[in-house]
Amino acid sequence: MRDHVDTIAPISAAGPAPGSKYDRLIARAKEARPAITMVVHPCDESSLRGAIEAAELGIIVPVLVGPAAKIRAVAREHGIDLKNYQIVDAPHSEAAAAKAVELIRESKGELLMKGSLHTDELMRAVTSSSTGLRTARRISHVFVMDVPTYPETLFITDAAINIFPDLEVKRDIIQNAIDLFTDVGLGTPRVAILSAVETVTPKIPSTIEAAALCKMADRGQITGGVLDGPLAFDNAIDPEAAKIKGIKSPVAGRAQILVVPDLEAGNMLAKNLTFLAKADAAGLVLGARVPIILTSRADSVRSRMASAAAAVLYADARRKKAAIAAV
């Protein structure tokens, strides 16, 4: 969808100070009700400390699911006080994932947080057809990025779950990201569907899918955001590049959600921003019954807090919608 942008005020190239986008997310999360969070197998310092620090900020109420003796040993070794926190014993990582998912199914928690187990172990429990947390929506991943050189909070999707998504999967990927963006209080997102070029050509299938997705949005199959595509990365995020190409659109040059053609492209883009632009990258998995906080050992404390904050805000919005629907 391409429209004139005469009434849209330009954004300052300087943008906000580094880290301030995450600070705002965390501040808003502190105002929400803390979400009961199943922390799966927090058996190293970073995963255990991250959960406890989020609890100390008043963002989450953690339930530590895993081998109790090992969790307590890690806490003693690193001076982490667990006296105020519940531990649910499970003998190993696979059992911890299964138990945490079971507790979510029993409505005893609102969030899942990955600890020191492999992502595929956690996701096997989440995606189990009989005992998992699947919904009608496709499960997907969103990076919530704070890029120091960009004025917007930048979402990148999907760079971690769906390897080669087809059109229907991309529809869910986009809807998941839009729902997160709006529910954390960031407004109506400008969604750029990326390809190598900004024109539709049969030689590059992702350009055809981008055009189809925009038409799906026009027909109400994707709601809540303003879509444009195909857009090359430069004219999605740089107003001058979009101007040079003659692209008049509310999205071009000002994108807030970047939808990548496939996982490889998304993963390389997110890591490029992390290591070359010094961006922070928080991560969530969406489309399951509850949001899943997907952290890694390399994540900074700020990224871990931002992941938890975004998940809490999303859970709080869902809680409020459910309450309204029940009236």
Side-chain angles (χ1 to χ4, degrees), residues 18-319:
S20 63
K21 307 176 193 79
Y22 280 1
D23 290 340
R24 289 195 294 270
L25 271 181
I26 294 166
R28 280 202 295 268
K30 288 179 181 179
E31 296 174 359
R33 191 176 86 194
I36 299 174
T37 303
M38 300 300 154
V39 186
V40 186
H41 202 258
C43 293
D44 66 1
E45 181 188 6
S46 61
S47 61
L48 184 57
R49 190 178 295 281
I52 300 307
E53 287 180 351
E56 290 172 347
L57 281 177
I59 294 176
I60 67 170
V61 177
V63 177
L64 310 175
V65 186
K70 190 170 184 180
I71 292 170
R72 291 191 178 100
V74 171
R76 283 195 301 271
E77 181 181 354
H78 298 285
I80 301 170
D81 187 356
L82 299 183
K83 69 175 182 293
N84 295 322
Y85 305 109
Q86 180 183 359
I87 299 176
V88 177
D89 192 31
H92 48 72
S93 57
E94 187 175 344
K99 184 63 178 177
V101 166
E102 178 187 332
L103 292 168
I104 293 290
R105 287 173 64 91
E106 294 172 354
S107 300
K108 294 180 179 177
E110 296 175 281
L111 302 177
L112 275 178
M113 178 183 283
K114 176 180 172 287
S116 58
L117 75 172
H118 291 293
T119 299
D120 58 355
E121 286 183 283
L122 177 60
M123 294 310 298
R124 272 198 300 272
V126 169
T127 59
S128 169
S129 58
S130 58
T131 60
L133 301 174
R134 282 188 177 276
T135 67
R137 189 81 63 82
R138 181 75 174 215
I139 290 173
S140 63
H141 181 272
V142 177
F143 275 119
V144 181
M145 305 203 71
D146 188 341
V147 185
T149 55
Y150 196 64
E152 305 284 353
T153 300
L154 198 62
F155 285 25
I156 297 177
T157 191
D158 178 345
I161 299 290
N162 296 286
I163 300 173
F164 295 113
D166 61 19
L167 189 65
E168 284 299 315
V169 173
K170 284 184 179 178
R171 181 262 165 205
D172 282 357
I173 287 170
I174 293 169
Q175 194 65 64
N176 285 341
I178 289 173
D179 291 350
L180 176 65
F181 194 97
T182 56
D183 283 348
V184 301
L186 294 174
T188 300
R190 299 183 290 272
V191 183
I193 306 167
L194 298 184
S195 186
V197 295
E198 68 280 352
T199 53
V200 177
T201 171
K203 295 179 181 179
I204 306 178
S206 61
T207 65
I208 299 173
E209 289 192 342
L213 288 162
C214 290
K215 185 53 65 177
M216 291 169 77
D218 290 344
R219 296 291 185 265
Q221 292 172 271
I222 301 170
T223 60
V226 181
L227 276 65
D228 195 8
L231 289 171
F233 179 72
D234 57 344
N235 46 56
I237 56 95
D238 185 83
E240 187 62 25
K243 182 179 178 181
I244 290 169
K245 290 292 182 73
I247 302 171
K248 295 181 179 180
S249 157
V251 176
R254 310 175 65 232
Q256 295 162 306
I257 298 177
L258 301 178
V259 182
V260 296
D262 55 45
L263 182 146
E264 291 176 310
N267 196 274
M268 286 185 278
L269 174 57
K271 288 179 179 176
N272 186 327
L273 292 172
T274 299
F275 288 95
L276 294 182
K278 305 304 180 186
D280 283 323
L284 292 181
V285 173
L286 307 170
R289 291 193 191 183
V290 298
I292 302 166
I293 303 165
L294 205 63
T295 58
S296 79
R297 285 174 293 180
D299 285 347
S300 68
V301 172
R302 182 180 294 276
S303 291
R304 288 176 181 275
M305 293 303 105
S307 296
V312 165
L313 289 168
Y314 189 50
D316 188 57
R318 286 160 53 117
R319 188 191 301 130

